[in-house]
């Protein structure tokens, strides 16, 4: 009998290469079909002749076995490729699901953080508004106190002037018999002393009021600067939120394009 086993010159080769993160590329190289392989000839048995028809039938059978073997190999390769594709598909599904869940969790956390920041900023603004109202009330109270003190000073000056005039009149009544020049000198000295005392009191009160006004203005300026600083922080938070949304949009676009 003739040996009908036909072998290919090169084995079928499958090459695997990682093209990108999370993806694999497979290259299947099939062996070239064997050229006309010489079938070993069976030694001719004496007394028995092999006809051309028998040789052709054996060659045809050998060719059919070769084709069957090639088909079997192709089926095995197809099965392996199907398994590889299924594994890749499952891996991609798991990766996509992980990315989606992670993105949703990050978005939820970002929304929670932004809401908390906005609530804190809103609360701080409300407190600053109330504080500013209290400052305005304090300013109005100080203005009223200043006006009342000024009015009281004027009343005291009027009373002092009245008392001074009354004292002078009494002194003049008592000193009618004295020399006119002496009376005038005493009156002048008394006027100067009273005037100096009143001026000194008025100067002290004005200094106190001026110091209180300066302190009030400094306090108001500090509160205004604090409000402006908080507004700048709130603006930075809004800008960061907008940038985060832009970055998410760009990442979505990149993921979609990928």
């Amino acid at each position: 009998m003739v040996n009908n086993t036909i072998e290919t010159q090169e084995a079928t080769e499958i090459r695997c290469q990682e093209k990108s993160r999370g993806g694999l590329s497979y290259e299947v190289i099939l062996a070239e079909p064997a050229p006309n392989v010489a079938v070993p000839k069976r030694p001719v048995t004496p007394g028995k002749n092999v006809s051309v028809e028998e040789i052709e039938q054996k060659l045809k059978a050998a060719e059919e076995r070769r084709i069957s073997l090639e088909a079997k190999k192709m089926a095995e390769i197809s099965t392996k490729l199907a398994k590889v594709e299924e594994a890749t598909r499952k891996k991609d599904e798991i990766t996509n699901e992980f990315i989606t869940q992670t993105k949703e969790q990050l978005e939820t956390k970002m929304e929670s953080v932004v809401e908390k920041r906005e609530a804190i900023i809103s609360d701080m603004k409300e407190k600053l508004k109330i504080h500013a109202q209290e400052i305005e009330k304090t300013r109005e109270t100080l203005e009223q106190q200043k006006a009342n003190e000024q009015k009281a000073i004027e009343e005291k000056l009027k009373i002092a002037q009245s008392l001074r005039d009354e004292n002078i009149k009494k002194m003049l009544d008592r000193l009618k018999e004295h020399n006119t020049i002496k009376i005038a000198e005493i009156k002048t000295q008394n006027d100067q002393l009273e005037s100096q005392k009143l001026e000194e009191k008025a100067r002290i009160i004005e200094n106190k009021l001026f110091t209180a006004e300066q302190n009030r203005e400094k306090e108001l300026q500090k509160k205004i600067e604090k409000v402006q600083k908080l507004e700048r922080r709130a603006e930075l938070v809004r800008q960061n939120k907008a940038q985060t949304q832009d970055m998410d949009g760009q990442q979505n676009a990149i993921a979609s394009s990928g």
Side-chain angles (χ1 to χ4, degrees):
M1 294 179 64
V2 180
N3 186 8
N4 294 325
T5 302
I6 301 175
E7 296 180 355
T8 56
Q9 292 180 346
E10 296 179 357
T12 302
E13 182 179 359
I14 299 177
R15 297 179 182 178
C16 177
Q17 182 179 3
E18 185 176 356
K19 290 293 185 180
S20 62
R21 186 175 182 180
L24 298 174
S25 174
Y26 294 93
E27 182 179 2
V28 179
I29 302 174
L30 299 177
E32 293 293 334
N36 296 329
V37 179
V39 180
K41 294 182 179 181
R42 182 179 178 183
V44 179
T45 304
K48 186 177 180 181
N49 294 326
V50 180
S51 66
V52 175
E53 183 179 356
E54 290 177 350
I55 294 173
E56 289 179 352
Q57 288 178 356
K58 290 180 180 181
L59 290 174
K60 184 178 179 181
E63 181 66 19
E64 289 177 355
R65 285 193 295 273
R66 185 185 69 79
I67 293 173
S68 177
L69 182 61
E70 290 292 337
K72 184 178 179 181
K73 288 183 178 180
M74 290 298 296
E76 291 176 354
I77 291 171
S78 298
T79 303
K80 291 180 180 179
L81 289 176
K83 291 181 179 180
V84 171
E85 290 177 356
E86 181 65 17
T88 303
R89 184 183 64 79
K90 289 182 179 179
K91 181 180 179 181
D92 292 340
E93 289 178 355
I94 294 172
T95 302
N96 292 332
E97 183 178 359
F98 175 75
I99 292 172
T100 302
Q101 292 178 354
T102 304
K103 183 179 178 182
E104 291 176 354
Q105 292 175 358
L106 290 174
E107 288 178 351
T108 303
K109 289 182 180 179
M110 287 298 297
E111 290 177 357
S112 177
V113 170
V114 171
E115 288 176 357
K116 289 181 180 179
R117 287 183 180 176
E118 290 179 351
I120 292 171
I121 292 171
S122 177
D123 184 61
M124 293 179 69
K125 284 184 177 180
E126 186 65 24
K127 290 181 179 179
L128 288 173
K129 183 179 179 181
I130 295 172
H131 191 64
Q133 292 175 354
E134 292 177 354
I135 292 173
E136 183 64 21
K137 290 180 180 179
T138 303
R139 186 186 67 79
E140 293 176 355
T141 303
L142 290 175
E143 291 290 341
Q144 186 64 34
Q145 290 178 355
K146 181 179 178 182
N148 293 335
E149 290 177 356
Q150 187 69 29
K151 185 177 180 181
I153 291 170
E154 292 176 355
E155 291 294 332
K156 289 180 180 179
L157 289 174
K158 289 180 180 180
I159 294 171
Q161 182 67 29
S162 178
L163 292 174
R164 185 177 64 82
D165 293 340
E166 185 178 354
N167 290 331
I168 291 172
K169 184 179 180 181
K170 289 179 180 180
M171 290 176 67
L172 288 174
D173 291 339
R174 289 195 301 264
L175 296 173
K176 281 182 180 180
E177 296 177 358
H178 290 293
N179 193 308
T180 305
I181 298 174
K182 185 66 176 176
I183 293 172
E185 289 177 354
I186 292 172
K187 183 178 181 299
T188 302
Q189 291 177 359
N190 192 19
D191 290 341
Q192 289 178 352
L193 289 173
E194 291 294 334
S195 178
Q196 288 177 357
K197 290 180 181 179
L198 292 174
E199 288 178 356
E200 183 66 21
K201 289 181 180 179
R203 184 180 63 79
I204 292 171
I205 292 172
E206 288 179 356
N207 288 336
K208 289 182 179 180
L209 292 174
F210 179 74
T211 302
E213 182 68 16
Q214 283 185 334
N215 292 333
R216 183 185 63 80
E217 291 179 354
K218 289 180 180 179
E219 185 66 19
L220 286 174
Q221 184 64 29
K222 289 180 180 180
K223 300 299 181 182
I224 291 171
E225 290 177 354
K226 188 175 181 179
V227 172
Q228 291 175 350
K229 186 176 181 180
L230 289 173
E231 289 178 351
R232 287 195 295 271
R233 288 181 179 175
E235 182 63 23
L236 289 174
V237 171
R238 287 192 292 270
Q239 291 178 359
N240 291 333
K241 181 179 179 181
Q243 290 178 359
T244 303
Q245 292 176 353
D246 293 340
M247 290 177 66
D248 290 339
Q250 291 178 1
Q251 290 177 356
N252 291 334
I254 292 172
S256 298
S257 62

